Amino acid sequence: MGMLDVTALEIAEPTWPTPGTARQRLMRAVVLTIGLVTCAFSLKAETASETQLEAPYDLSVNEGRRSPVGFHDATPSFSWKIRDSREGAAQTAYQLRVISQSDVGSQLLWDSGTVPSAQSVYVPYEGMPLKSRQRIEWMVRYWDQDGTSSPWSSAASLEMGLLAHSDWEAQWIGPNPDDFAGKDDERPAIYLRKSLHLDEVPPSARLYFTAKGLVDFSINGSPVTDDAFQPGWTNYNARIDVSTYDVTGLLKEGENVLTARIADGWYSGTISERFYGQRPQLLAQLEIASVNGGVEQTVATDNTWTYSINGPIIMSDLYHGEDYDARREMPGWDTPGYKSDGMYRPVTVANIDHAVKLSPKRFQTVRPIQTLKAKTFKRHPDGKLIYDLGQNMTGWIRINLPAVEGQKVTIRMAEMLQKDGSLYRANYRTARSMATYIPSEDGMVDYTQSFTYFGFRYVELSGYDVTATPAKEWVEGIVLHTDSPRTGYFESSHEKLNKLYSNIVWGQRGNFLDIPTDCPQRDERWGWTGDIQVFTPMALYNFDVHALLASYLDTMASEMGADGSVPAVVPQAHLSIFGNSAGWGDAAFIIPWQLYLRTGDVDVLREFYPMMKRRLHYYSNKARNNLVDEPRSFADWLQPRRYGDTVVGWDERSGETSTYLIASSYYGHGARLLSQASEVLGYTADAENYLNLSKKISQAISSTFFDSRGRVTEGQETQTAYILPLAFGLIEDDVRAKAVERLEERIEKDGGRLNTGFLGTSLLVSTLEEHGLLKQAIGVLFTSEYPGWFYSIDQGATTIWERWNSYSKETGFGDASMNSFNHYAYGAVGSFLTERIAGLAPVAEKPGYAQILIRPILSDDLPLDHASAALETRYGTAANKWRKVSGGWEVTTLIPPNATGKIVLDRSGNDIRILRGNLSFTERDKRSVAEVGAGTFKYLVVNEKQNHQ
Ligand code: BGC
């Protein structure tokens, strides 16, 4: 597909394109033509043979979804990529065709005609809105800069889910409430079944299902999917997501059995303290088509289904793990012909609640993504085996080992080991984090959990057959996360910097499990808004989490108070007390803006604009003289070193930066973002008002919080007190330079080390560099001393930690009451690696990498010989790499077709030699700027110093 190979390597080199010979291009065209002929909707073959352009590829709808089944949006938008390695390759026009497909035929729904436009992303569908269940295929062709047309793309498909409650015949079904009375700890999974008779194998069938809780579904004993943790975690009081699968191949003539297992999960488990409900429930609808098209038969959850709570999963909970008793397995329960002998009882039913929206799932599900083999194992003196997977990860543990009938195998895990080699589990707090398995016979056991997950690197086994010789293969880690495509890469000559980037990516893998969580292991795993607020830019670089974040924002909007208050945790579960923290609740305007900036998706900005506005008005209503305080804030959470005994915010972990300064800075930042968003959406009056407001806030911040020497006067003079207003552009010209000097002094007094918490750290390095403090930025980033990113790497980190010293070789473990070894927040610094060190960044004026800003730091101060970043954008692969060569730095820039690049170098034009590509630099404010179209460009940036040596 021309995309990066995202499967294996942490760092992938982009495939630097070679123009290809005319013959190769012709061959590709021939292959395409053959493809088109076999295509369901055949088009006039006029174009393919006449031109040498390639067809558009990687077709996607809305937020990067590829041929989705069970789609949510009746008026989708379309995106495609162009493959053309010629310099300046661009689209000047396109044509889209949308065909409605049914079992009986196809029909043209919409033809855009030839549209003279460069737009190749999010092109709106303008045909009749799509209906529930409707299937379409769509294809596109384009015209290039010379007016040559491409062949048609191959067809991409899309199938709508159930859009309205009136599509549902099903009722919620579940166990009898009495079954769960008093069952607070031992919460079994619920096994549900229904048989049905089919006279013949249906031509097609769809299964729509969801749960209050977690569900997996089988038909005739075959799992419908290996997607996990469905339906995911939303605000179940407002929206519950529905999954759709094509199950045609699973049905047969005669008796068929539908079975589902449901468990508490986020809905009624300890993670939400059963805030949403007391017991899990299932909603499902199987729709079987007739040979003449249309739905012939619907089998829905209703009072004819039966259930049992006496199956093998005797306990299941996200925090506590799972207990499985194989002696309670019910052989044949999920296949035809099963005699339940009274074990299955009729379910209780409830009608669909129309206040809660049933919505086709908008984004990818959680899935088992990769398997980690154990690297080593040891027998502990107490006989237990301890396996090391070599990587802190999130997911399941698969055991495949010899066991003895009736003898419980216990699986425990930990992120770290104690000095004596035993598990360090204190940081799991009240999460039991354990799985047990009781075999029904002697022999090999192959077991993986279902409705729970763990955060761990080490696995401890006991209860296995001690007469057997232990083997490495007994344990595997199954990495679970939302199946968002991997998009971004970073690589450099600096080993620790690469390790840092790898740790950041693993932190993301471990914490994007349907929602963005703070950590995957202890009794939290919640969607803390502050954490994702700071990590969003990096998250959107590493993986395409566009759709996931849009869904998360939808949940946030549903939980926002009428006054614009935002829970600190979304979905808020039972945690409503943690409302309104500055820097946390501001996720409501920061994430929509970042989504827009990094994806170019205006629809998403429009969708969440009312939420952004409400959040800003929350501040406006409280503000006095354009400043606002939010005293109950988490503030600059976990500032590592104290300057005094100042207490701000929730408690002493909230750092020492004034909450007044923090809240006012986010207020100003919000006003600025709102003004930009208003402008994008064409709300000119709003744009002006918010801009004026942001200016007033900036004046108020400058005159109230800083003295004439630029020193922070509000609260403690912390690094963050300078960083936030500087990063957000809220210090007036006359004070700014002085404030930067004071910040420089602050850093020096702090020994050149960082001393920032969750809010300051995410902006520290980039803000220092942006304000001319490159040496300081390098100092805080490239140190192995505490506190700093490399410090934890030297202590063995394979993920980002919650605290810089969560563990140290010298002093052991930090305070176990809050000591996560997989917390992505500090990984926000990764954006500095990709955007400034390697030099590949988005541009607000042409968002979504329609224009790519190439602005690498080329400096002898940087302890690197080379660095590169590669990103799969909606236009194709963009990349930038540089390496030191004799005389300077050789930079290679790759701009994908139909995008443009803006190369900005802090050098005069005389110092730049063009090695490849047609580009010329012009000098602006001591910088050289070149605007380029698509293509590969190579240039040498002369190192003056080297040449004078
Ligand atoms: C979480 C954080 C969160 C914080 C609020 C912690 O317990 O793990 O990541 O943002 O509380 O200050």
Side-chain angles (χ1 to χ4, degrees), residues 802-817:
E802 182 171 27
R803 296 173 187 268
W804 305 104
N805 57 352
S806 284
Y807 167 82
S808 82
K809 288 176 183 159
E810 221 169 286
T811 58
F813 292 101
D815 176 3
S817 72

Side-chain angles (χ1 to χ4, degrees), residues 202 220 529 544 678 710 720 746 804 833 895:
N220 296 326
T529 48
D544 185 354
S678 307
T720 297
R746 171 77 276 168
W804 305 104
L833 277 48
I895 305 293

